[in-house]
Amino acid sequence: MKIAAAQFPAVPGDVAANIGSMADLIREAAGRGARFVAFCELAAQGYALAPIAADPGLWLAEDDPRLAPVREACRTTGTAALVGCAARTGGDRPAITALVIGPDGELLARYDKTHLYGEELEVFAAGTGEGRFVLDGVRFSVAICYDNRFPEVAASAKADDCRVYVASSVLEADNDSFEKVYPVRARDNGLYVLLANQVGTCEVGECRGGSAVWGPDGTLLADAGRGGPGLAVVELPVDTAAG
């Protein structure tokens, strides 16, 4: 199985444009043999907290018709995709959510960010569960940005027999997580760590991209580069399947 981390410059508040960009990258990743592709935190709306807080119309539902281009891209290519978004919760605040769309175009899993950071605490509701799904016999764990600062999140994934740890994030260019968090989580837990990061300017500053995959020993295996759209694609060995 090949997995991919994707990056693109999300347009703040333009759900249709961002969903279209993700659908295009799903097809591109599938063309390179990927079975799974992940996008960054709040990719559907862009990391723009004030517009999200002010307009519930921007929040996505799990069955939201605006996700149709992504569902169709997944279905026609047989690829699963993690879509970062602000999603409805049933309350008066959205969650920072990862919706995993399966290769059949249907919802495979949902994870709501549990560790909110800074101004996120004023806009979003925190999740309470862990993110898990299985694809082609491989068990995946999902975490979102600040979640990854907590070692116990990755430790729990290891204990739960996960093989791939997906980090959907928005990191500015000088963030130390590229060196001090993601490769460490991989090495300490024997996990493949896949980081999908924003590229371009957003509320946190200038994001460098650098979406990447690290191997279980902490070695950088693939990098999508800096400054523009791209993919980091890695083939997993056959022994990553869950027992």
Side-chain angles (χ1 to χ4, degrees), residues 9-203:
V11 181
D14 195 336
V15 174
N18 296 330
I19 292 292
S21 294
M22 284 187 271
D24 289 343
L25 280 164
I26 291 167
R27 287 187 284 268
E28 182 179 344
R32 293 175 58 180
R35 178 71 165 164
F36 171 75
V37 57
F39 296 95
C40 75
E41 179 182 28
L42 295 176
Q45 293 91 358
Y47 195 94
L49 304 193
I52 291 171
D55 184 5
L58 291 175
W59 309 351
L60 297 182
E62 293 178 7
D63 60 351
D64 203 294
R66 290 172 290 184
L67 288 167
V70 163
R71 292 195 194 95
E72 180 65 13
C74 290
R75 186 165 48 247
T76 57
T77 62
T79 306
L82 183 153
V83 175
C85 65
R88 298 183 181 278
T89 62
D92 59 0
R93 291 188 177 194
I96 298 178
T97 298
L99 296 177
V100 181
I101 309 301
D104 59 357
E106 301 299 321
L107 185 69
L108 182 60
R110 170 176 175 159
Y111 169 72
D112 294 343
K113 184 176 184 178
T114 57
H115 299 89
L116 301 176
Y117 180 79
E119 293 182 9
E120 294 172 359
L121 292 161
E122 302 173 11
V123 177
F124 299 99
T128 57
E130 295 182 316
R132 301 284 189 269
F133 67 94
V134 177
L135 181 67
D136 295 348
V138 178
R139 190 163 179 80
F140 288 71
S141 176
V142 179
I144 299 176
C145 207
Y146 192 48
D147 288 334
N148 301 296
R149 286 281 181 176
F150 297 82
E152 60 268 25
V153 176
S156 175
K158 176 184 179 181
D160 199 20
D161 202 28
C162 294
R163 298 294 181 264
V164 181
Y165 180 94
V166 184
S168 175
S169 302
V170 172
L171 304 171
E172 69 277 21
D174 61 354
N175 194 293
D176 66 0
S177 296
F178 295 94
E179 294 79 28
K180 294 185 177 180
V181 175
Y182 299 103
V184 175
R185 298 292 175 265
R187 183 176 63 249
D188 286 355
N189 298 285
L191 296 166
Y192 286 86
V193 171
L194 184 156
L195 164 66
N197 190 35
Q198 163 79 4
V199 64
T201 303
C202 68
E203 282 188 9

